[in-house]
Amino acid sequence: MTIKRKAIFGMALAAILWSAGGFLIKGIDWHPMSISGGRSLIAALVIGFAFRKENLSFSKSQWAGAVAYCACVTLFVVATKLTTAANAILLQYTAPIYVALLSGWLLGENVTRRDWFTILIVCCGMIFFFLDKVTAGGTLGNLFAIGSGITFALFILFMRMQKEASPYGSVLLGNLLTFAISLPFWSNNVIDAASITGITVLGVFQLGISYVLYSYAIRHVEALKATLITSIEPILNPIWVFLFFREQPGLYSMIGGFIVLAAITIRYWFEARTQSYITQTANDNLQK
């Protein structure tokens, strides 16, 4: 098997592991903050061991990335507990839109008309998530999921700032920070075999090993393929929850999810085509 195929397989496996978050989180009868903190502590051990030969820089961007990561994973767990798994993951999956909006401010990158059009379509799709009949807690969960998407976008941007340093450090520090802020919420948790098993699987596989696989794979997989492969997560996540808990997203949520997934995928497809055309044109000019 070639390096490229190994990378694609690794990324697909990472996405499948990520998709298990929904039903594993719903299966643990703990406070959401405790689930987030326990999962992150175990993931920190896995990630720290995998990247033990790399050094932390403790730069401003590394700490900023850690805070964004902490907010992202915490908001996602809380959202998954309050709303449907489909809503939580699909609304988090809007992160690329916030990356496009914030990259101009944080990285000085231009936002194109194609970006603005995609943002408009995704915003229209997001409206559908609030059209289903949901409880006040469900609406709050949707808002937390949107917050998870925004903070995930910030995490991506701060990781970009560290491309010449040690970006993995933001994940390691972010997981430790997530555990630290969860400590006040541990007192009323029922510690039994089921909860320990669930939190261990979440930490080792769903967050720890999956991140290690993704970190390896992203070095060898193009942006478009990475986007398409990781879209396995928002598709499988609600399927697992339905199979284990019979939780079914509403019709409007499914329509909104389809719009969000389609808009982001098509946007990356056009970007890949444009980049391919530019590269091919440059090569043809060099040959002349």
mmCIF file with all atom_site columns, all heavy atoms in Angstrom, residues 20-21 23-30 35 38-40 42 192-207:
data_model
loop_
_atom_site.group_PDB
_atom_site.id
_atom_site.type_symbol
_atom_site.label_atom_id
_atom_site.label_alt_id
_atom_site.label_comp_id
_atom_site.label_asym_id
_atom_site.label_entity_id
_atom_site.label_seq_id
_atom_site.pdbx_PDB_ins_code
_atom_site.Cartn_x
_atom_site.Cartn_y
_atom_site.Cartn_z
_atom_site.occupancy
_atom_site.B_iso_or_equiv
_atom_site.pdbx_formal_charge
_atom_site.auth_seq_id
_atom_site.auth_comp_id
_atom_site.auth_asym_id
_atom_site.auth_atom_id
_atom_site.pdbx_PDB_model_num
ATOM 1   N N   . ALA A 1 20  ? -18.243 8.459  16.273 1.00 0.00 ? 20  ALA A N   1
ATOM 2   C CA  . ALA A 1 20  ? -18.752 7.718  17.434 1.00 0.00 ? 20  ALA A CA  1
ATOM 3   C C   . ALA A 1 20  ? -19.053 8.626  18.616 1.00 0.00 ? 20  ALA A C   1
ATOM 4   O O   . ALA A 1 20  ? -19.652 8.191  19.602 1.00 0.00 ? 20  ALA A O   1
ATOM 5   C CB  . ALA A 1 20  ? -17.748 6.645  17.850 1.00 0.00 ? 20  ALA A CB  1
ATOM 6   N N   . GLY A 1 21  ? -18.664 9.900  18.518 1.00 0.00 ? 21  GLY A N   1
ATOM 7   C CA  . GLY A 1 21  ? -18.839 10.814 19.639 1.00 0.00 ? 21  GLY A CA  1
ATOM 8   C C   . GLY A 1 21  ? -20.290 10.958 20.086 1.00 0.00 ? 21  GLY A C   1
ATOM 9   O O   . GLY A 1 21  ? -20.577 11.006 21.280 1.00 0.00 ? 21  GLY A O   1
ATOM 10  N N   . PHE A 1 23  ? -23.141 8.941  20.000 1.00 0.00 ? 23  PHE A N   1
ATOM 11  C CA  . PHE A 1 23  ? -23.790 7.908  20.816 1.00 0.00 ? 23  PHE A CA  1
ATOM 12  C C   . PHE A 1 23  ? -22.997 7.604  22.086 1.00 0.00 ? 23  PHE A C   1
ATOM 13  O O   . PHE A 1 23  ? -23.577 7.231  23.119 1.00 0.00 ? 23  PHE A O   1
ATOM 14  C CB  . PHE A 1 23  ? -24.053 6.638  19.995 1.00 0.00 ? 23  PHE A CB  1
ATOM 15  C CG  . PHE A 1 23  ? -22.883 5.733  19.785 1.00 0.00 ? 23  PHE A CG  1
ATOM 16  C CD1 . PHE A 1 23  ? -22.551 4.758  20.712 1.00 0.00 ? 23  PHE A CD1 1
ATOM 17  C CD2 . PHE A 1 23  ? -22.104 5.830  18.630 1.00 0.00 ? 23  PHE A CD2 1
ATOM 18  C CE1 . PHE A 1 23  ? -21.481 3.898  20.514 1.00 0.00 ? 23  PHE A CE1 1
ATOM 19  C CE2 . PHE A 1 23  ? -21.036 4.983  18.427 1.00 0.00 ? 23  PHE A CE2 1
ATOM 20  C CZ  . PHE A 1 23  ? -20.721 4.018  19.367 1.00 0.00 ? 23  PHE A CZ  1
ATOM 21  N N   . LEU A 1 24  ? -21.664 7.776  22.055 1.00 0.00 ? 24  LEU A N   1
ATOM 22  C CA  . LEU A 1 24  ? -20.871 7.543  23.269 1.00 0.00 ? 24  LEU A CA  1
ATOM 23  C C   . LEU A 1 24  ? -21.156 8.616  24.315 1.00 0.00 ? 24  LEU A C   1
ATOM 24  O O   . LEU A 1 24  ? -21.286 8.318  25.514 1.00 0.00 ? 24  LEU A O   1
ATOM 25  C CB  . LEU A 1 24  ? -19.380 7.516  22.934 1.00 0.00 ? 24  LEU A CB  1
ATOM 26  C CG  . LEU A 1 24  ? -18.886 6.277  22.180 1.00 0.00 ? 24  LEU A CG  1
ATOM 27  C CD1 . LEU A 1 24  ? -17.450 6.462  21.708 1.00 0.00 ? 24  LEU A CD1 1
ATOM 28  C CD2 . LEU A 1 24  ? -18.986 5.022  23.059 1.00 0.00 ? 24  LEU A CD2 1
ATOM 29  N N   . ILE A 1 25  ? -21.264 9.873  23.876 1.00 0.00 ? 25  ILE A N   1
ATOM 30  C CA  . ILE A 1 25  ? -21.564 10.970 24.804 1.00 0.00 ? 25  ILE A CA  1
ATOM 31  C C   . ILE A 1 25  ? -22.955 10.791 25.409 1.00 0.00 ? 25  ILE A C   1
ATOM 32  O O   . ILE A 1 25  ? -23.161 10.948 26.615 1.00 0.00 ? 25  ILE A O   1
ATOM 33  C CB  . ILE A 1 25  ? -21.445 12.329 24.086 1.00 0.00 ? 25  ILE A CB  1
ATOM 34  C CG1 . ILE A 1 25  ? -19.966 12.633 23.782 1.00 0.00 ? 25  ILE A CG1 1
ATOM 35  C CG2 . ILE A 1 25  ? -22.054 13.451 24.931 1.00 0.00 ? 25  ILE A CG2 1
ATOM 36  C CD1 . ILE A 1 25  ? -19.751 13.805 22.847 1.00 0.00 ? 25  ILE A CD1 1
ATOM 37  N N   . LYS A 1 26  ? -23.933 10.446 24.571 1.00 0.00 ? 26  LYS A N   1
ATOM 38  C CA  . LYS A 1 26  ? -25.299 10.270 25.064 1.00 0.00 ? 26  LYS A CA  1
ATOM 39  C C   . LYS A 1 26  ? -25.418 9.048  25.976 1.00 0.00 ? 26  LYS A C   1
ATOM 40  O O   . LYS A 1 26  ? -26.334 8.966  26.792 1.00 0.00 ? 26  LYS A O   1
ATOM 41  C CB  . LYS A 1 26  ? -26.261 10.157 23.884 1.00 0.00 ? 26  LYS A CB  1
ATOM 42  C CG  . LYS A 1 26  ? -26.495 11.490 23.164 1.00 0.00 ? 26  LYS A CG  1
ATOM 43  C CD  . LYS A 1 26  ? -27.510 11.363 22.063 1.00 0.00 ? 26  LYS A CD  1
ATOM 44  C CE  . LYS A 1 26  ? -27.768 12.710 21.402 1.00 0.00 ? 26  LYS A CE  1
ATOM 45  N NZ  . LYS A 1 26  ? -28.449 13.676 22.289 1.00 0.00 ? 26  LYS A NZ  1
ATOM 46  N N   . GLY A 1 27  ? -24.491 8.101  25.832 1.00 0.00 ? 27  GLY A N   1
ATOM 47  C CA  . GLY A 1 27  ? -24.554 6.883  26.629 1.00 0.00 ? 27  GLY A CA  1
ATOM 48  C C   . GLY A 1 27  ? -23.947 7.009  28.016 1.00 0.00 ? 27  GLY A C   1
ATOM 49  O O   . GLY A 1 27  ? -24.049 6.080  28.827 1.00 0.00 ? 27  GLY A O   1
ATOM 50  N N   . ILE A 1 28  ? -23.312 8.146  28.319 1.00 0.00 ? 28  ILE A N   1
ATOM 51  C CA  . ILE A 1 28  ? -22.684 8.346  29.635 1.00 0.00 ? 28  ILE A CA  1
ATOM 52  C C   . ILE A 1 28  ? -23.551 9.292  30.451 1.00 0.00 ? 28  ILE A C   1
ATOM 53  O O   . ILE A 1 28  ? -23.780 10.442 30.058 1.00 0.00 ? 28  ILE A O   1
ATOM 54  C CB  . ILE A 1 28  ? -21.255 8.915  29.488 1.00 0.00 ? 28  ILE A CB  1
ATOM 55  C CG1 . ILE A 1 28  ? -20.381 7.952  28.678 1.00 0.00 ? 28  ILE A CG1 1
ATOM 56  C CG2 . ILE A 1 28  ? -20.627 9.150  30.864 1.00 0.00 ? 28  ILE A CG2 1
ATOM 57  C CD1 . ILE A 1 28  ? -19.004 8.500  28.369 1.00 0.00 ? 28  ILE A CD1 1
ATOM 58  N N   . ASP A 1 29  ? -24.025 8.829  31.588 1.00 0.00 ? 29  ASP A N   1
ATOM 59  C CA  . ASP A 1 29  ? -24.941 9.620  32.426 1.00 0.00 ? 29  ASP A CA  1
ATOM 60  C C   . ASP A 1 29  ? -24.153 10.488 33.404 1.00 0.00 ? 29  ASP A C   1
ATOM 61  O O   . ASP A 1 29  ? -24.281 10.358 34.626 1.00 0.00 ? 29  ASP A O   1
ATOM 62  C CB  . ASP A 1 29  ? -25.905 8.683  33.171 1.00 0.00 ? 29  ASP A CB  1
ATOM 63  C CG  . ASP A 1 29  ? -27.041 9.457  33.829 1.00 0.00 ? 29  ASP A CG  1
ATOM 64  O OD1 . ASP A 1 29  ? -27.300 10.588 33.390 1.00 0.00 ? 29  ASP A OD1 1
ATOM 65  O OD2 . ASP A 1 29  ? -27.640 8.927  34.771 1.00 0.00 ? 29  ASP A OD2 1
ATOM 66  N N   . TRP A 1 30  ? -23.322 11.364 32.862 1.00 0.00 ? 30  TRP A N   1
ATOM 67  C CA  . TRP A 1 30  ? -22.540 12.320 33.644 1.00 0.00 ? 30  TRP A CA  1
ATOM 68  C C   . TRP A 1 30  ? -22.908 13.731 33.220 1.00 0.00 ? 30  TRP A C   1
ATOM 69  O O   . TRP A 1 30  ? -23.551 13.937 32.190 1.00 0.00 ? 30  TRP A O   1
ATOM 70  C CB  . TRP A 1 30  ? -21.040 12.126 33.411 1.00 0.00 ? 30  TRP A CB  1
ATOM 71  C CG  . TRP A 1 30  ? -20.430 10.924 34.040 1.00 0.00 ? 30  TRP A CG  1
ATOM 72  C CD1 . TRP A 1 30  ? -21.048 9.946  34.756 1.00 0.00 ? 30  TRP A CD1 1
ATOM 73  C CD2 . TRP A 1 30  ? -19.050 10.566 33.995 1.00 0.00 ? 30  TRP A CD2 1
ATOM 74  N NE1 . TRP A 1 30  ? -20.146 8.995  35.162 1.00 0.00 ? 30  TRP A NE1 1
ATOM 75  C CE2 . TRP A 1 30  ? -18.901 9.351  34.711 1.00 0.00 ? 30  TRP A CE2 1
ATOM 76  C CE3 . TRP A 1 30  ? -17.913 11.137 33.438 1.00 0.00 ? 30  TRP A CE3 1
ATOM 77  C CZ2 . TRP A 1 30  ? -17.675 8.716  34.867 1.00 0.00 ? 30  TRP A CZ2 1
ATOM 78  C CZ3 . TRP A 1 30  ? -16.689 10.514 33.587 1.00 0.00 ? 30  TRP A CZ3 1
ATOM 79  C CH2 . TRP A 1 30  ? -16.567 9.314  34.308 1.00 0.00 ? 30  TRP A CH2 1
ATOM 80  N N   . ILE A 1 35  ? -17.930 14.799 31.199 1.00 0.00 ? 35  ILE A N   1
ATOM 81  C CA  . ILE A 1 35  ? -17.653 13.960 30.023 1.00 0.00 ? 35  ILE A CA  1
ATOM 82  C C   . ILE A 1 35  ? -16.563 14.601 29.178 1.00 0.00 ? 35  ILE A C   1
ATOM 83  O O   . ILE A 1 35  ? -15.608 13.942 28.756 1.00 0.00 ? 35  ILE A O   1
ATOM 84  C CB  . ILE A 1 35  ? -18.931 13.770 29.183 1.00 0.00 ? 35  ILE A CB  1
ATOM 85  C CG1 . ILE A 1 35  ? -19.993 13.020 29.986 1.00 0.00 ? 35  ILE A CG1 1
ATOM 86  C CG2 . ILE A 1 35  ? -18.615 13.017 27.888 1.00 0.00 ? 35  ILE A CG2 1
ATOM 87  C CD1 . ILE A 1 35  ? -21.342 12.931 29.287 1.00 0.00 ? 35  ILE A CD1 1
ATOM 88  N N   . GLY A 1 38  ? -13.149 14.409 31.217 1.00 0.00 ? 38  GLY A N   1
ATOM 89  C CA  . GLY A 1 38  ? -12.605 13.051 31.304 1.00 0.00 ? 38  GLY A CA  1
ATOM 90  C C   . GLY A 1 38  ? -12.084 12.563 29.971 1.00 0.00 ? 38  GLY A C   1
ATOM 91  O O   . GLY A 1 38  ? -11.007 11.963 29.888 1.00 0.00 ? 38  GLY A O   1
ATOM 92  N N   . ARG A 1 39  ? -12.849 12.799 28.912 1.00 0.00 ? 39  ARG A N   1
ATOM 93  C CA  . ARG A 1 39  ? -12.417 12.422 27.567 1.00 0.00 ? 39  ARG A CA  1
ATOM 94  C C   . ARG A 1 39  ? -11.114 13.113 27.205 1.00 0.00 ? 39  ARG A C   1
ATOM 95  O O   . ARG A 1 39  ? -10.186 12.496 26.669 1.00 0.00 ? 39  ARG A O   1
ATOM 96  C CB  . ARG A 1 39  ? -13.513 12.792 26.564 1.00 0.00 ? 39  ARG A CB  1
ATOM 97  C CG  . ARG A 1 39  ? -13.171 12.523 25.114 1.00 0.00 ? 39  ARG A CG  1
ATOM 98  C CD  . ARG A 1 39  ? -14.272 12.930 24.156 1.00 0.00 ? 39  ARG A CD  1
ATOM 99  N NE  . ARG A 1 39  ? -14.367 14.373 23.986 1.00 0.00 ? 39  ARG A NE  1
ATOM 100 C CZ  . ARG A 1 39  ? -14.880 14.961 22.903 1.00 0.00 ? 39  ARG A CZ  1
ATOM 101 N NH1 . ARG A 1 39  ? -15.368 14.216 21.927 1.00 0.00 ? 39  ARG A NH1 1
ATOM 102 N NH2 . ARG A 1 39  ? -14.950 16.271 22.817 1.00 0.00 ? 39  ARG A NH2 1
ATOM 103 N N   . SER A 1 40  ? -11.010 14.391 27.512 1.00 0.00 ? 40  SER A N   1
ATOM 104 C CA  . SER A 1 40  ? -9.829  15.164 27.137 1.00 0.00 ? 40  SER A CA  1
ATOM 105 C C   . SER A 1 40  ? -8.592  14.742 27.919 1.00 0.00 ? 40  SER A C   1
ATOM 106 O O   . SER A 1 40  ? -7.481  14.756 27.377 1.00 0.00 ? 40  SER A O   1
ATOM 107 C CB  . SER A 1 40  ? -10.092 16.659 27.338 1.00 0.00 ? 40  SER A CB  1
ATOM 108 O OG  . SER A 1 40  ? -10.930 17.155 26.310 1.00 0.00 ? 40  SER A OG  1
ATOM 109 N N   . ILE A 1 42  ? -7.841  11.743 29.024 1.00 0.00 ? 42  ILE A N   1
ATOM 110 C CA  . ILE A 1 42  ? -7.340  10.495 28.429 1.00 0.00 ? 42  ILE A CA  1
ATOM 111 C C   . ILE A 1 42  ? -6.739  10.767 27.053 1.00 0.00 ? 42  ILE A C   1
ATOM 112 O O   . ILE A 1 42  ? -5.673  10.233 26.708 1.00 0.00 ? 42  ILE A O   1
ATOM 113 C CB  . ILE A 1 42  ? -8.483  9.462  28.334 1.00 0.00 ? 42  ILE A CB  1
ATOM 114 C CG1 . ILE A 1 42  ? -8.971  9.106  29.736 1.00 0.00 ? 42  ILE A CG1 1
ATOM 115 C CG2 . ILE A 1 42  ? -8.015  8.202  27.596 1.00 0.00 ? 42  ILE A CG2 1
ATOM 116 C CD1 . ILE A 1 42  ? -10.244 8.276  29.756 1.00 0.00 ? 42  ILE A CD1 1
ATOM 117 N N   . ASP A 1 192 ? -19.296 4.093  37.449 1.00 0.00 ? 192 ASP A N   1
ATOM 118 C CA  . ASP A 1 192 ? -19.540 2.662  37.333 1.00 0.00 ? 192 ASP A CA  1
ATOM 119 C C   . ASP A 1 192 ? -18.811 2.125  36.106 1.00 0.00 ? 192 ASP A C   1
ATOM 120 O O   . ASP A 1 192 ? -18.158 2.880  35.369 1.00 0.00 ? 192 ASP A O   1
ATOM 121 C CB  . ASP A 1 192 ? -21.028 2.355  37.252 1.00 0.00 ? 192 ASP A CB  1
ATOM 122 C CG  . ASP A 1 192 ? -21.728 3.128  36.129 1.00 0.00 ? 192 ASP A CG  1
ATOM 123 O OD1 . ASP A 1 192 ? -21.031 3.592  35.204 1.00 0.00 ? 192 ASP A OD1 1
ATOM 124 O OD2 . ASP A 1 192 ? -22.964 3.262  36.181 1.00 0.00 ? 192 ASP A OD2 1
ATOM 125 N N   . ALA A 1 193 ? -18.902 0.824  35.880 1.00 0.00 ? 193 ALA A N   1
ATOM 126 C CA  . ALA A 1 193 ? -18.160 0.187  34.790 1.00 0.00 ? 193 ALA A CA  1
ATOM 127 C C   . ALA A 1 193 ? -18.559 0.749  33.425 1.00 0.00 ? 193 ALA A C   1
ATOM 128 O O   . ALA A 1 193 ? -17.710 0.984  32.557 1.00 0.00 ? 193 ALA A O   1
ATOM 129 C CB  . ALA A 1 193 ? -18.383 -1.328 34.825 1.00 0.00 ? 193 ALA A CB  1
ATOM 130 N N   . ALA A 1 194 ? -19.870 0.988  33.239 1.00 0.00 ? 194 ALA A N   1
ATOM 131 C CA  . ALA A 1 194 ? -20.349 1.479  31.952 1.00 0.00 ? 194 ALA A CA  1
ATOM 132 C C   . ALA A 1 194 ? -19.795 2.865  31.634 1.00 0.00 ? 194 ALA A C   1
ATOM 133 O O   . ALA A 1 194 ? -19.352 3.135  30.512 1.00 0.00 ? 194 ALA A O   1
ATOM 134 C CB  . ALA A 1 194 ? -21.879 1.504  31.946 1.00 0.00 ? 194 ALA A CB  1
ATOM 135 N N   . SER A 1 195 ? -19.826 3.756  32.640 1.00 0.00 ? 195 SER A N   1
ATOM 136 C CA  . SER A 1 195 ? -19.345 5.117  32.405 1.00 0.00 ? 195 SER A CA  1
ATOM 137 C C   . SER A 1 195 ? -17.836 5.152  32.202 1.00 0.00 ? 195 SER A C   1
ATOM 138 O O   . SER A 1 195 ? -17.336 5.894  31.343 1.00 0.00 ? 195 SER A O   1
ATOM 139 C CB  . SER A 1 195 ? -19.746 6.027  33.569 1.00 0.00 ? 195 SER A CB  1
ATOM 140 O OG  . SER A 1 195 ? -19.199 5.551  34.790 1.00 0.00 ? 195 SER A OG  1
ATOM 141 N N   . ILE A 1 196 ? -17.108 4.350  32.961 1.00 0.00 ? 196 ILE A N   1
ATOM 142 C CA  . ILE A 1 196 ? -15.650 4.300  32.802 1.00 0.00 ? 196 ILE A CA  1
ATOM 143 C C   . ILE A 1 196 ? -15.277 3.756  31.429 1.00 0.00 ? 196 ILE A C   1
ATOM 144 O O   . ILE A 1 196 ? -14.368 4.267  30.761 1.00 0.00 ? 196 ILE A O   1
ATOM 145 C CB  . ILE A 1 196 ? -15.008 3.430  33.912 1.00 0.00 ? 196 ILE A CB  1
ATOM 146 C CG1 . ILE A 1 196 ? -15.162 4.116  35.271 1.00 0.00 ? 196 ILE A CG1 1
ATOM 147 C CG2 . ILE A 1 196 ? -13.541 3.173  33.604 1.00 0.00 ? 196 ILE A CG2 1
ATOM 148 C CD1 . ILE A 1 196 ? -14.475 5.461  35.377 1.00 0.00 ? 196 ILE A CD1 1
ATOM 149 N N   . THR A 1 197 ? -15.990 2.726  30.983 1.00 0.00 ? 197 THR A N   1
ATOM 150 C CA  . THR A 1 197 ? -15.728 2.164  29.655 1.00 0.00 ? 197 THR A CA  1
ATOM 151 C C   . THR A 1 197 ? -16.008 3.203  28.572 1.00 0.00 ? 197 THR A C   1
ATOM 152 O O   . THR A 1 197 ? -15.209 3.395  27.649 1.00 0.00 ? 197 THR A O   1
ATOM 153 C CB  . THR A 1 197 ? -16.603 0.917  29.415 1.00 0.00 ? 197 THR A CB  1
ATOM 154 O OG1 . THR A 1 197 ? -16.314 -0.065 30.403 1.00 0.00 ? 197 THR A OG1 1
ATOM 155 C CG2 . THR A 1 197 ? -16.346 0.341  28.026 1.00 0.00 ? 197 THR A CG2 1
ATOM 156 N N   . GLY A 1 198 ? -17.145 3.886  28.696 1.00 0.00 ? 198 GLY A N   1
ATOM 157 C CA  . GLY A 1 198 ? -17.519 4.882  27.704 1.00 0.00 ? 198 GLY A CA  1
ATOM 158 C C   . GLY A 1 198 ? -16.535 6.021  27.620 1.00 0.00 ? 198 GLY A C   1
ATOM 159 O O   . GLY A 1 198 ? -16.126 6.432  26.525 1.00 0.00 ? 198 GLY A O   1
ATOM 160 N N   . ILE A 1 199 ? -16.112 6.566  28.764 1.00 0.00 ? 199 ILE A N   1
ATOM 161 C CA  . ILE A 1 199 ? -15.193 7.700  28.772 1.00 0.00 ? 199 ILE A CA  1
ATOM 162 C C   . ILE A 1 199 ? -13.812 7.283  28.281 1.00 0.00 ? 199 ILE A C   1
ATOM 163 O O   . ILE A 1 199 ? -13.102 8.063  27.637 1.00 0.00 ? 199 ILE A O   1
ATOM 164 C CB  . ILE A 1 199 ? -15.128 8.334  30.184 1.00 0.00 ? 199 ILE A CB  1
ATOM 165 C CG1 . ILE A 1 199 ? -14.748 9.814  30.074 1.00 0.00 ? 199 ILE A CG1 1
ATOM 166 C CG2 . ILE A 1 199 ? -14.151 7.610  31.083 1.00 0.00 ? 199 ILE A CG2 1
ATOM 167 C CD1 . ILE A 1 199 ? -15.807 10.694 29.536 1.00 0.00 ? 199 ILE A CD1 1
ATOM 168 N N   . THR A 1 200 ? -13.425 6.035  28.553 1.00 0.00 ? 200 THR A N   1
ATOM 169 C CA  . THR A 1 200 ? -12.130 5.543  28.075 1.00 0.00 ? 200 THR A CA  1
ATOM 170 C C   . THR A 1 200 ? -12.126 5.404  26.558 1.00 0.00 ? 200 THR A C   1
ATOM 171 O O   . THR A 1 200 ? -11.165 5.805  25.884 1.00 0.00 ? 200 THR A O   1
ATOM 172 C CB  . THR A 1 200 ? -11.796 4.184  28.729 1.00 0.00 ? 200 THR A CB  1
ATOM 173 O OG1 . THR A 1 200 ? -11.758 4.335  30.153 1.00 0.00 ? 200 THR A OG1 1
ATOM 174 C CG2 . THR A 1 200 ? -10.448 3.672  28.244 1.00 0.00 ? 200 THR A CG2 1
ATOM 175 N N   . VAL A 1 201 ? -13.206 4.842  26.000 1.00 0.00 ? 201 VAL A N   1
ATOM 176 C CA  . VAL A 1 201 ? -13.305 4.705  24.545 1.00 0.00 ? 201 VAL A CA  1
ATOM 177 C C   . VAL A 1 201 ? -13.320 6.078  23.888 1.00 0.00 ? 201 VAL A C   1
ATOM 178 O O   . VAL A 1 201 ? -12.672 6.306  22.861 1.00 0.00 ? 201 VAL A O   1
ATOM 179 C CB  . VAL A 1 201 ? -14.571 3.904  24.163 1.00 0.00 ? 201 VAL A CB  1
ATOM 180 C CG1 . VAL A 1 201 ? -14.772 3.912  22.652 1.00 0.00 ? 201 VAL A CG1 1
ATOM 181 C CG2 . VAL A 1 201 ? -14.461 2.473  24.670 1.00 0.00 ? 201 VAL A CG2 1
ATOM 182 N N   . LEU A 1 202 ? -14.052 7.025  24.491 1.00 0.00 ? 202 LEU A N   1
ATOM 183 C CA  . LEU A 1 202 ? -14.079 8.393  23.969 1.00 0.00 ? 202 LEU A CA  1
ATOM 184 C C   . LEU A 1 202 ? -12.679 8.998  23.944 1.00 0.00 ? 202 LEU A C   1
ATOM 185 O O   . LEU A 1 202 ? -12.261 9.590  22.942 1.00 0.00 ? 202 LEU A O   1
ATOM 186 C CB  . LEU A 1 202 ? -14.992 9.270  24.835 1.00 0.00 ? 202 LEU A CB  1
ATOM 187 C CG  . LEU A 1 202 ? -16.476 9.330  24.478 1.00 0.00 ? 202 LEU A CG  1
ATOM 188 C CD1 . LEU A 1 202 ? -17.250 10.060 25.576 1.00 0.00 ? 202 LEU A CD1 1
ATOM 189 C CD2 . LEU A 1 202 ? -16.695 10.006 23.140 1.00 0.00 ? 202 LEU A CD2 1
ATOM 190 N N   . GLY A 1 203 ? -11.963 8.879  25.056 1.00 0.00 ? 203 GLY A N   1
ATOM 191 C CA  . GLY A 1 203 ? -10.648 9.508  25.157 1.00 0.00 ? 203 GLY A CA  1
ATOM 192 C C   . GLY A 1 203 ? -9.588  8.858  24.294 1.00 0.00 ? 203 GLY A C   1
ATOM 193 O O   . GLY A 1 203 ? -8.833  9.536  23.594 1.00 0.00 ? 203 GLY A O   1
ATOM 194 N N   . VAL A 1 204 ? -9.537  7.521  24.308 1.00 0.00 ? 204 VAL A N   1
ATOM 195 C CA  . VAL A 1 204 ? -8.475  6.801  23.590 1.00 0.00 ? 204 VAL A CA  1
ATOM 196 C C   . VAL A 1 204 ? -8.729  6.806  22.083 1.00 0.00 ? 204 VAL A C   1
ATOM 197 O O   . VAL A 1 204 ? -7.843  7.166  21.294 1.00 0.00 ? 204 VAL A O   1
ATOM 198 C CB  . VAL A 1 204 ? -8.366  5.344  24.100 1.00 0.00 ? 204 VAL A CB  1
ATOM 199 C CG1 . VAL A 1 204 ? -7.370  4.554  23.236 1.00 0.00 ? 204 VAL A CG1 1
ATOM 200 C CG2 . VAL A 1 204 ? -7.914  5.326  25.557 1.00 0.00 ? 204 VAL A CG2 1
ATOM 201 N N   . PHE A 1 205 ? -9.929  6.431  21.694 1.00 0.00 ? 205 PHE A N   1
ATOM 202 C CA  . PHE A 1 205 ? -10.209 6.223  20.264 1.00 0.00 ? 205 PHE A CA  1
ATOM 203 C C   . PHE A 1 205 ? -10.869 7.426  19.594 1.00 0.00 ? 205 PHE A C   1
ATOM 204 O O   . PHE A 1 205 ? -10.383 7.916  18.576 1.00 0.00 ? 205 PHE A O   1
ATOM 205 C CB  . PHE A 1 205 ? -11.082 4.977  20.081 1.00 0.00 ? 205 PHE A CB  1
ATOM 206 C CG  . PHE A 1 205 ? -10.428 3.709  20.528 1.00 0.00 ? 205 PHE A CG  1
ATOM 207 C CD1 . PHE A 1 205 ? -10.696 3.175  21.782 1.00 0.00 ? 205 PHE A CD1 1
ATOM 208 C CD2 . PHE A 1 205 ? -9.524  3.053  19.693 1.00 0.00 ? 205 PHE A CD2 1
ATOM 209 C CE1 . PHE A 1 205 ? -10.082 2.003  22.202 1.00 0.00 ? 205 PHE A CE1 1
ATOM 210 C CE2 . PHE A 1 205 ? -8.914  1.885  20.101 1.00 0.00 ? 205 PHE A CE2 1
ATOM 211 C CZ  . PHE A 1 205 ? -9.187  1.358  21.361 1.00 0.00 ? 205 PHE A CZ  1
ATOM 212 N N   . GLN A 1 206 ? -11.990 7.908  20.172 1.00 0.00 ? 206 GLN A N   1
ATOM 213 C CA  . GLN A 1 206 ? -12.769 8.937  19.483 1.00 0.00 ? 206 GLN A CA  1
ATOM 214 C C   . GLN A 1 206 ? -12.025 10.268 19.400 1.00 0.00 ? 206 GLN A C   1
ATOM 215 O O   . GLN A 1 206 ? -12.188 11.012 18.438 1.00 0.00 ? 206 GLN A O   1
ATOM 216 C CB  . GLN A 1 206 ? -14.115 9.127  20.207 1.00 0.00 ? 206 GLN A CB  1
ATOM 217 C CG  . GLN A 1 206 ? -15.139 9.925  19.424 1.00 0.00 ? 206 GLN A CG  1
ATOM 218 C CD  . GLN A 1 206 ? -15.117 11.402 19.746 1.00 0.00 ? 206 GLN A CD  1
ATOM 219 O OE1 . GLN A 1 206 ? -14.717 11.806 20.839 1.00 0.00 ? 206 GLN A OE1 1
ATOM 220 N NE2 . GLN A 1 206 ? -15.553 12.217 18.794 1.00 0.00 ? 206 GLN A NE2 1
ATOM 221 N N   . LEU A 1 207 ? -11.182 10.582 20.384 1.00 0.00 ? 207 LEU A N   1
ATOM 222 C CA  . LEU A 1 207 ? -10.470 11.862 20.371 1.00 0.00 ? 207 LEU A CA  1
ATOM 223 C C   . LEU A 1 207 ? -8.956  11.706 20.263 1.00 0.00 ? 207 LEU A C   1
ATOM 224 O O   . LEU A 1 207 ? -8.322  12.470 19.541 1.00 0.00 ? 207 LEU A O   1
ATOM 225 C CB  . LEU A 1 207 ? -10.818 12.651 21.641 1.00 0.00 ? 207 LEU A CB  1
ATOM 226 C CG  . LEU A 1 207 ? -10.520 14.157 21.616 1.00 0.00 ? 207 LEU A CG  1
ATOM 227 C CD1 . LEU A 1 207 ? -11.310 14.845 20.518 1.00 0.00 ? 207 LEU A CD1 1
ATOM 228 C CD2 . LEU A 1 207 ? -10.852 14.784 22.971 1.00 0.00 ? 207 LEU A CD2 1
#
